[in-house]
Amino acid sequence: MATNLSIDPALIERALEVSGERTKKAAVTKALEEFIARRKQKGLLALMGKLEWDAAYDYKSQRSRD
């Protein structure tokens, strides 16, 4: 999907420098992927302390090598 965006040229240049990507498209794609991953991680952090753990659960038993 073609999209035209007006992005601050200084930000694009910095993104190219820090990402090591060779094209603007690659740098923007990498930035969006990292943004999405970070937001997903924040969602997981919000669950900290809200889940109950079963102390008797034996997670190693699920690793059998039959």
Side-chain angles (χ1 to χ4, degrees), residues 24 33 40 48 59-60:
K24 293 176 185 177
E33 289 170 346
K40 285 183 175 181
M48 291 292 288
Y59 67 92
K60 290 184 180 181

Side-chain angles (χ1 to χ4, degrees), residues 38-62:
R38 184 170 295 219
R39 291 297 168 124
K40 285 183 175 181
Q41 289 172 353
K42 277 185 163 183
L44 291 175
L45 286 175
L47 295 175
M48 291 292 288
K50 295 182 180 179
L51 300 176
E52 293 182 28
W53 299 101
D54 181 1
Y57 177 69
D58 182 11
Y59 67 92
K60 290 184 180 181
S61 69
Q62 300 297 317

Side-chain angles (χ1 to χ4, degrees), residues 8-18 24:
D8 182 349
L11 285 176
I12 291 289
E13 288 304 317
R14 285 179 55 200
L16 285 166
E17 289 173 16
V18 300
K24 293 176 185 177

Side-chain angles (χ1 to χ4, degrees), residues 2-43:
T3 303
N4 291 325
L5 299 172
S6 178
I7 301 175
D8 182 349
L11 285 176
I12 291 289
E13 288 304 317
R14 285 179 55 200
L16 285 166
E17 289 173 16
V18 300
S19 70
E21 297 294 340
R22 299 177 79 197
T23 66
K24 293 176 185 177
K25 178 182 176 181
V28 170
T29 298
K30 181 177 264 187
L32 287 171
E33 289 170 346
E34 290 182 13
F35 173 81
I36 291 165
R38 184 170 295 219
R39 291 297 168 124
K40 285 183 175 181
Q41 289 172 353
K42 277 185 163 183

